[in-house]
Amino acid sequence: MADEVSGAPGRPRIDTSVAHSARVHDYWLGGKDNFAADRAAGDAVMAAYPGIVASVRANRAFLARVVRFLAAEAGIRQFLDIGTGIPASGNTHEVAQSVAPASRVVYVDYDPVVLRHAQALLKGGPPGTVDYIDADLRDPRRILRRASRLLDLSRPVAVMLIAIMHLIGDQDDPYGIVRTLMAAVPAGSYLALSQVASDIEPERMAEAARRYNRLAKEQQRHRSRAEVTRFFDGLELVEPGVVPVQRWRPSSEIESRARSAMWGGVAASRDRPASHHR
Ligand SMILES: C[S@@+](CC[C@H](N)C(=O)[O-])C[C@H]1O[C@@H](n2cnc3c(N)ncnc32)[C@H](O)[C@@H]1O
């Protein structure tokens, strides 16, 4: 992507002076939607943790396996994918609609570069099955209001928070955000979540976070397995629980041997006691 500071009229401004997570992620995945500042941050992380490219790839493979599981085995037909990222191979609607063509997918991200790709995402599936919301995860109620234009929130929804929660610091109440989202969807819904680990290759990951945080807009907050498991409180984890993403129902021995520093899991929302109903 050519360096650009302000967008054309009516297009959101893209700040190229500092690294943005969507663009750094795109760089690691070999995409073209990144600038010098993103590549510098991406390289700084790679120098501290050489496994980063393998890790983001393992996370994308996790995303695809999770969506296939939700669509094919759990019968989910509605997906709320928050922290969409710049489209890469195996986007949520592609995987879900390859199983069930009428699956509905609402994507959410706050990055202007992702927004520019939204048109292509919307054209991706059968008409009226994919929507995009330009919104901040830290305002989950706004996301729910907008998502309800396409999704029927009285029927099961898979809430997907894939590789985004490490970009939500403790000051922004990450557990409260997840609780708000899951309280708005009925029993039979699912939470799918992955996030960068603090307790896998911990020294390298701590150095990677320090380097990234010096260069990037969003600060990373890595979390331990116990801290990631807490996101699933009140839900029923499906096997194998919270594990390194490559170990979550790998489709081959090779896939399971990938390197990653990410925890991931999927859990179902079951009937809550009456006092917990909204
Ligand atoms: C590391 S990428 C993950 C992309 C994709 N989910 C995946 O796993 O391949 C994180 C994405 O979350 C978005 N993001 C970060 N903080 C956000 C926030 N507060 N609200 C909405 N999107 C956010 C970024 O713009 C970026 O596109």
Side-chain angles (χ1 to χ4, degrees), residues 113-138:
V113 175
V114 180
L115 176 63
R116 287 192 181 182
H117 284 281
Q119 272 320 105
L121 283 176
L122 300 190
K123 283 197 208 116
T129 57
V130 184
D131 199 1
Y132 181 85
I133 306 175
D134 179 26
D136 192 318
L137 173 57
R138 289 166 294 185

Side-chain angles (χ1 to χ4, degrees), residues 94-161:
E94 292 161 349
V95 179
Q97 293 179 345
S98 73
V99 176
S103 299
R104 292 178 180 202
V105 178
V106 172
Y107 288 111
V108 183
D109 206 293
Y110 72 169
D111 190 288
V113 175
V114 180
L115 176 63
R116 287 192 181 182
H117 284 281
Q119 272 320 105
L121 283 176
L122 300 190
K123 283 197 208 116
T129 57
V130 184
D131 199 1
Y132 181 85
I133 306 175
D134 179 26
D136 192 318
L137 173 57
R138 289 166 294 185
D139 188 355
R141 287 189 178 80
R142 173 156 180 263
I143 290 175
L144 290 163
R145 270 197 308 278
R146 291 279 314 278
S148 66
R149 292 183 193 171
L150 183 68
L151 305 182
D152 176 354
L153 298 184
S154 70
R155 300 181 64 79
V157 176
V159 175
M160 303 195 31
L161 295 165

Side-chain angles (χ1 to χ4, degrees), residues 228-248:
V228 174
T229 303
R230 222 186 112 195
F231 283 120
F232 297 99
D233 273 2
L235 305 171
E236 205 175 286
L237 277 162
V238 304
E239 287 297 322
V242 175
V243 292
V245 287
Q246 69 276 18
R247 305 252 174 81
W248 196 91

Side-chain angles (χ1 to χ4, degrees), residues 3 15 32 45 71 80 92 140 170 207 232 253 271:
D3 279 33
D15 179 2
K32 294 194 187 71
V45 168
L80 179 57
T92 297
D170 296 337
E207 182 55 24
F232 297 99
E253 182 60 29
D271 269 330

Side-chain angles (χ1 to χ4, degrees), residues 21-22 25 59-60 83-85 109-111 135-137 162-164 168:
S21 65
H25 193 247
N59 178 67
R60 283 300 295 186
T84 308
D109 206 293
Y110 72 169
D111 190 288
D136 192 318
L137 173 57
I162 307 297
I164 184 171
I168 303 292

